[in-house]
Amino acid sequence: MATDAAGPDGNVPVDKMPRTERGRRTQRAILDAAAAEFGEKGFHEGSISGITRRAGVALGSFYTYFDSKDAVFRALVADMSAQVRDHVAPAIRGADGRIAAERAGLLEFIRFVRTHKEIYRIIDEAEFVDPASFRRHYSTTAERIAARIRTGPEDAQAEVHAWAIMGMNVFLGLRYGVWDEDRSPEDVADVIASLLARGIFGSREGAKGAKEGI
Amino acid sequence: MATDAAGPDGNVPVDKMPRTERGRRTQRAILDAAAAEFGEKGFHEGSISGITRRAGVALGSFYTYFDSKDAVFRALVADMSAQVRDHVAPAIRGADGRIAAERAGLLEFIRFVRTHKEIYRIIDEAEFVDPASFRRHYSTTAERIAARIRTGPEDAQAEVHAWAIMGMNVFLGLRYGVWDEDRSPEDVADVIASLLARGIFGSREGAKGAKEGI
């Protein structure tokens, strides 16, 4: 990756930031087109001309906002990461209690994934195309989860719990959002809320394991 | 992928199966060399000559067991999947109780990952190089977890719990096995065993969330 292609946080560098509302719309159209292009073809087969064709913009407009294919891919990973965060945040903030907040986060994540199935392919491909973006996406997501579940400064378990919750959500989104929609997001979120509240066997009537402890 | 490169389960086709102990050792050496080659260089940059050089075998020996680079990659994904399964299985079987079994599975998985860090890159790249192998790896792993946590034929939650446990383990392995070893596998496994036994806030003294329920 060209190191000057995007800012250190993966976002568009300052000198490439759109200054007008029209500019912001064009940049948005390019990012949406890049999601479609890379989601369908992958990074290596995807092209800038494919992106500008999908976006209906001229090649010059592309280079007004992005230096290269690497740069738009890197900005796209940061953009999808922010889109997920912004989509789930209101539901998490509006939830009544910590378990309800995690339930709402998972529910909205599965809903988001069902309408943005390309997100997995793009973020997963970042592991190979731009490892720093890949690591940044998961590190910042885990830190955000840890911040909301941490019970105090001494809470040494919060980081492990945050990675566990993120892993659950990613795989449940893959299974029930991308691969198959054979179970409702509400049902999946209810099962996980119960697990987080009472443990994996605690909520099942007559579950043999509940009596076994650890 | 060439469809005739490997059997439908990703394993070596019957006519390529080694018939002697020496043949099995050569095949094992080629698979281990392929793990190193693809783990270091990725699928596209990796080569059959790089694999045979690492394995110290002639090109002819490679083609005795594998038809192509695609075929050895596909066999490698199935092999790593089986290696993880075989590494964790004795600890799971020997555990006293269901929660202890999940704790043992996670503990042994993190230990395995620390000595086989290339496994993430290889299985994650399968999403792009050989999507069927990628899907097969996670589907069969989830089915195996579901089978051991299912409390009975009516247990509709087992599949969701299995995907949740797999997701936790994959991300905890990435964070505490591949990226950083700043926390012991035992500590991580203890935190997760407590989560599975009593819920995420249930085990923290004075945790505000524990009183909130869902």
Side-chain angles (χ1 to χ4, degrees):
Chain A
M1 299 289 298
T3 52
D4 61 347
D9 57 354
N11 288 315
V12 176
V14 175
D15 67 328
K16 294 271 181 181
M17 293 269 282
R19 293 195 180 81
T20 65
E21 180 53 35
R22 190 177 163 196
R24 277 185 288 276
R25 279 201 304 270
T26 302
Q27 193 194 40
R28 181 73 261 154
I30 293 170
L31 285 170
D32 290 342
E37 176 78 0
F38 293 134
E40 189 183 303
K41 297 187 170 180
F43 178 78
H44 295 288
E45 297 294 317
S47 67
I48 291 175
S49 62
I51 292 169
T52 55
R53 196 162 46 238
R54 288 173 195 264
V57 304
L59 202 59
S61 292
F62 178 91
Y63 285 106
T64 304
Y65 302 108
F66 304 100
D67 281 330
S68 61
K69 189 168 91 164
D70 283 4
V72 73
F73 183 83
R74 192 192 296 207
L76 177 62
V77 173
D79 178 66
M80 300 212 90
S81 193
Q83 276 194 56
V84 173
R85 181 195 63 208
D86 295 346
H87 180 84
V88 303
I92 290 172
R93 272 199 306 274
D96 186 18
R98 288 160 179 277
I99 300 292
E102 296 314 311
R103 180 189 179 283
L106 173 57
L107 176 61
E108 291 306 323
F109 178 67
I110 297 174
R111 286 177 176 162
F112 181 86
V113 164
R114 285 190 176 188
T115 55
H116 299 78
K117 296 195 180 197
E118 72 285 358
I119 190 172
Y120 276 79
R121 182 161 181 172
I122 290 163
I123 292 186
D124 291 350
E125 195 164 20
E127 182 177 357
F128 304 97
V129 172
D130 182 12
S133 285
F134 178 77
R135 194 160 172 151
R136 188 185 306 117
H137 168 67
Y138 285 122
S139 296
T140 58
T141 302
E143 281 162 21
R144 199 161 55 237
I145 298 171
R148 72 175 182 247
I149 63 174
R150 194 170 279 124
T151 54
E154 305 290 300
D155 185 354
Q157 298 183 24
E159 187 195 61
V160 177
H161 284 162
W163 280 83
I165 288 173
M166 180 167 67
M168 280 193 232
N169 291 358
V170 168
F171 273 73
L172 292 166
L174 179 66
R175 171 63 182 80
Y176 299 107
V178 180
W179 283 1
D180 207 327
E181 302 189 1
D182 56 340
R183 196 184 279 255
S184 76
E186 291 78 7
D187 183 24
V188 175
D190 284 342
V191 171
I192 297 305
S194 170
L195 188 167
L196 293 175
R198 289 182 289 276
I200 195 164
F201 299 112
S203 60
R204 302 190 202 178
E205 285 190 3
K208 176 170 168 285
K211 303 182 196 92
E212 295 178 7
I214 57 170
Chain B
M1 299 289 297
T3 52
D4 60 347
D9 58 353
N11 289 316
V12 177
V14 174
D15 67 329
K16 294 273 180 180
M17 292 270 280
R19 292 196 179 81
T20 65
E21 180 54 35
R22 189 178 163 193
R24 277 185 288 276
R25 279 201 305 271
T26 302
Q27 192 195 40
R28 180 74 260 156
I30 293 171
L31 285 170
D32 290 342
E37 175 79 359
F38 293 132
E40 187 183 307
K41 298 189 170 179
F43 178 77
H44 296 290
E45 297 294 317
S47 67
I48 291 175
S49 61
I51 293 169
T52 55
R53 197 161 46 238
R54 287 173 196 264
V57 303
L59 203 58
S61 292
F62 178 90
Y63 285 106
T64 304
Y65 301 109
F66 303 100
D67 281 330
S68 62
K69 189 168 91 163
D70 283 4
V72 73
F73 183 82
R74 190 191 297 206
L76 177 62
V77 173
D79 179 65
M80 298 212 91
S81 193
Q83 276 194 56
V84 173
R85 180 195 66 208
D86 294 346
H87 180 84
V88 302
I92 291 172
R93 271 198 307 273
D96 186 16
R98 288 162 178 277
I99 300 291
E102 296 313 311
R103 181 188 179 284
L106 172 57
L107 177 62
E108 292 305 324
F109 179 66
I110 296 174
R111 285 177 176 163
F112 181 86
V113 164
R114 286 190 175 188
T115 55
H116 298 78
K117 296 196 180 196
E118 72 285 358
I119 190 172
Y120 276 79
R121 182 160 182 173
I122 290 164
I123 291 185
D124 292 350
E125 196 164 18
E127 182 177 358
F128 304 98
V129 172
D130 183 12
S133 285
F134 178 77
R135 195 162 173 151
R136 188 186 305 118
H137 169 66
Y138 286 122
S139 296
T140 57
T141 302
E143 280 162 21
R144 198 161 56 237
I145 298 171
R148 72 175 181 246
I149 63 174
R150 193 170 279 125
T151 53
E154 304 291 299
D155 185 355
Q157 298 183 23
E159 187 194 61
V160 177
H161 283 162
W163 280 82
I165 288 173
M166 180 167 67
M168 283 193 230
N169 291 359
V170 168
F171 273 72
L172 293 165
L174 179 67
R175 170 64 183 79
Y176 300 108
V178 179
W179 282 2
D180 207 328
E181 301 190 1
D182 57 340
R183 195 185 278 257
S184 76
E186 291 77 8
D187 184 22
V188 175
D190 284 342
V191 171
I192 297 305
S194 170
L195 189 168
L196 293 175
R198 290 180 288 276
I200 195 163
F201 299 111
S203 60
R204 301 190 202 177
E205 285 189 6
K208 177 170 166 284
K211 303 183 195 92
E212 294 177 10
I214 59 168

